[in-house]
Amino acid sequence: MRDVVAVPDVVGMTVDEGRRVAYEHGVVLAQPDADGPPLAALTWPGVWWITDQHPAPGARLYRWDSVIISFQDGSDGPTGVREPRRPSPAVDSPAASKDVPAPGPE
């Protein structure tokens, strides 16, 4: 008879960290398309964050069954780029030394 294990919570982890945690709990991570390329091929190179998983944490699976994850490119971190996308003030301008909003369209 096969062992039954509990699914860990991997949402919010990088794919590399989630893969390690899943392995320690006796399951493997997989991408949603069973006919597509392996997860490792889709998440290399760079930093990828796990955004969802199925089954949910705590569910019971047979050892080495797959946990399907959704993931997104997170090279800039889990919250993405936070600075404005407009040009910054010139380093020698007065606006560079204090919090003055950049001029907008008029």
Side-chain angles (χ1 to χ4, degrees):
M1 176 169 248
R2 294 174 55 185
D3 292 339
V4 175
V5 297
V7 173
D9 185 0
V10 295
V11 173
M13 296 180 186
T14 64
V15 171
D16 288 340
E17 182 181 7
R19 188 179 290 128
R20 181 188 53 78
V21 169
Y23 180 83
E24 289 171 356
H25 283 81
V27 294
V28 294
L29 299 185
Q31 62 111 339
D33 182 4
D35 294 328
L39 181 62
L42 295 174
T43 58
W44 183 88
V47 177
W48 295 81
W49 294 89
I50 299 172
T51 58
D52 195 21
Q53 73 178 69
H54 180 77
R60 311 291 283 174
L61 292 178
Y62 287 115
R63 184 173 299 280
W64 307 123
D65 275 352
S66 296
V67 175
I68 306 302
I69 62 167
S70 298
F71 49 92
Q72 69 180 23
D73 183 6
S75 299
D76 297 318
T79 58
V81 178
R82 297 185 68 143
E83 69 270 2
R85 294 289 187 185
R86 62 181 183 263
S88 299
V91 175
D92 58 346
S93 75
S97 62
K98 53 183 166 177
D99 290 335
V100 176
E106 294 181 16

